Amino acid sequence: MSWGLLEDVDDRGRVGFFTDTSVCIGCKACEVACKEWNHVPEDGLVFTGMSYDNTQGLGADTWRHVAFIEQHTPVAGEGPGQHDDMRWLMSSDVCKHCTHAACLDVCPTGSLFRTEFGTVVVQQDICNGCGYCVPACPYGVIDQRKDDGRVWKCTLCYDRLLDDKEPACAQACPTNSIQFGELEDLRDRANVRVLELKDRGVEGAQLYGADENDGVGGMHSFFLLLDDPEVYSLPPDPKVPTRDLGSTWGAAVAAAGALALGIAAAFAGGRK
């Protein structure tokens, strides 16, 4: 079996998350639900002083991260001219469960595997803590736990999916910002939502991770953003680092062959 390919997905279909950041209120109910259901340890409880967001990013002990992004943006005021005002951009980030997942490509033990739902899960009883998957992820999602060295990340509540339940974070979200369902249905819903927002004058509304032709083949967890991806600390053009391995090895073999022929020719010429 090839763990990294979607040919292993059965007839239950591909499922995922659509996160509509335009209705996220930053309540962090998703973070709490994720921790409670998956028994994820607390992640420091340290006041950073940088923001109301104290988790700061995804990690081995933070599988859901609600970002608080403060922006000073011009808002039409009363009378002539404009004045500066502030808006919050909030977004619940999570593992993207990439269609082409580099973490699967580099895992030497088969600890990371593609589920029948198309999602990506780590088997901790097989993980040897090598850490190869950590730099392979273009989003910085997967991380090693300090006390044992193994890697941990969102499983999209694989155990709940097997019982026909939605993931804990989606069930807990009070505004339906995190929506769970079949991937194609979610993409259709997301496209309609973008058009709706643009009709209301929200020019920055855009989908991130819904394009199957992007550098990771599309994500099982994609987002509706209100600004550029960089604002949310997301790479604007993510690519699977292992995508060119085949051509790289082919070029290396060709170069080695050319070198061998050159040496042989030089040796043969020297004997004449």
Side-chain angles (χ1 to χ4, degrees), residues 100-221:
H100 304 306
C103 57
L104 295 181
D105 292 339
V106 301
C107 181
T109 65
S111 171
L112 282 138
F113 74 100
R114 179 82 63 185
T115 75
E116 60 268 42
F117 303 101
T119 56
V120 179
V121 173
V122 183
Q123 301 173 97
Q124 268 73 35
D125 58 335
I126 300 177
C127 178
N128 66 359
C130 69
Y132 293 164
C133 55
V134 176
C137 175
Y139 307 101
V141 167
I142 199 161
D143 186 30
Q144 291 174 285
R145 191 166 285 171
K146 293 180 180 179
D147 60 350
D148 65 12
R150 293 176 297 171
V151 298
W152 304 77
K153 72 173 191 67
C154 163
T155 68
L156 220 146
C157 284
Y158 181 47
D159 54 343
R160 293 175 66 90
L161 299 187
L162 293 174
D163 287 335
D164 293 323
K165 297 177 181 178
E166 68 177 336
C169 58
Q171 186 176 45
C173 181
T175 64
N176 207 30
S177 172
I178 302 171
Q179 302 176 33
F180 167 77
E182 293 189 6
L183 204 52
E184 293 305 316
D185 291 342
L186 290 177
R187 286 173 177 164
D188 291 342
R189 192 184 309 169
N191 284 318
V192 170
R193 177 62 175 161
V194 169
L195 293 176
E196 176 186 326
L197 289 174
K198 286 187 176 295
D199 287 343
R200 291 164 50 187
V202 185
E203 293 300 326
Q206 59 187 282
L207 293 183
Y208 179 82
D211 184 3
E212 291 184 319
N213 296 315
D214 66 15
V216 297
M219 309 172 194
H220 282 249
S221 179

Side-chain angles (χ1 to χ4, degrees), residues 105 239-251:
D105 292 339
K239 293 181 175 62
V240 179
T242 55
R243 67 177 185 161
D244 297 323
L245 279 180
S247 59
T248 300
W249 280 112

